[in-house]
């Protein structure tokens, strides 16, 4: 079993002690970085290779931090004026996908 295959099998078992520790440390490291930063190498080389990434001049990887979850309407004290149809505050869906939002940063 080669290195890429080994990494692929490792990522299939997300509850293993090794991967849980690795993901926890990585999560902490990413939080310490700026919202948009250039990564020196991919986090998962096996998956990057499968998606067509080649480590050569001109190809770069940027990591961006994106707010997750629903969109809350920015209104004062949660009061929306007008008809009840447009009075929602919490259950709004953001119209752009996460990938599109990342591309615009």
């Amino acid at each position: 079993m080669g290195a890429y295959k080994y990494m692929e099998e490792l990522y299939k078992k997300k509850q293993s002690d090794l991967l849980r520790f690795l993901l926890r440390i990585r999560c902490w490291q990413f939080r310490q970085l700026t919202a948009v930063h250039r990564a020196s190498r991919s986090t998962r080389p096996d998956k990057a290779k499968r998606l067509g990434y080649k480590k050569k001049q001109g190809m770069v990887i940027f990591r961006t931090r994106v707010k997750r979850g629903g969109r809350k309407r920015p209104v004062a004290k949660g009061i929306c004026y007008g008809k009840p149809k447009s009075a929602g505050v919490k259950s709004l869906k953001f119209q752009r996908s996460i990938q599109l939002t990342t591309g615009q940063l």
Side-chain angles (χ1 to χ4, degrees):
M1 187 162 39
Y4 287 126
K5 191 71 177 169
Y6 177 74
M7 287 178 75
E8 191 180 327
E9 292 298 319
L10 191 67
Y11 268 95
K12 284 182 184 173
K13 301 181 182 101
K14 299 252 192 307
Q15 289 295 318
S16 67
D17 289 339
L18 177 69
L19 200 63
R20 284 176 68 182
F21 176 74
L22 187 70
L23 292 174
R24 193 170 68 230
I25 296 295
R26 239 183 228 151
C27 188
W28 178 83
Q29 278 180 330
F30 291 160
R31 279 201 305 269
Q32 306 311 309
L33 298 168
T34 56
V36 179
H37 69 276
R38 183 176 171 179
S40 58
R41 59 168 55 99
S42 70
T43 311
R44 291 186 59 182
D46 59 324
K47 190 161 186 181
K49 189 178 171 75
R50 252 185 300 149
L51 293 173
Y53 171 74
K54 289 184 170 69
K55 188 158 175 59
K56 61 182 186 181
Q57 198 171 16
M59 287 193 111
V60 292
I61 298 174
F62 277 89
R63 221 177 264 125
T64 61
R65 191 180 307 143
V66 177
K67 293 256 188 206
R68 300 296 301 271
R71 177 183 168 271
K72 190 167 181 260
R73 190 189 300 272
V75 289
K77 299 180 184 173
I79 303 166
C80 292
Y81 298 102
K83 300 218 174 255
K85 181 180 186 280
S86 60
V89 175
K90 297 232 172 155
S91 300
L92 299 174
K93 311 295 181 281
F94 198 50
Q95 295 304 310
R96 289 195 308 259
S97 69
I98 292 172
Q99 281 113 342
L100 196 64
T101 307
T102 304
Q104 292 178 348
L105 289 177

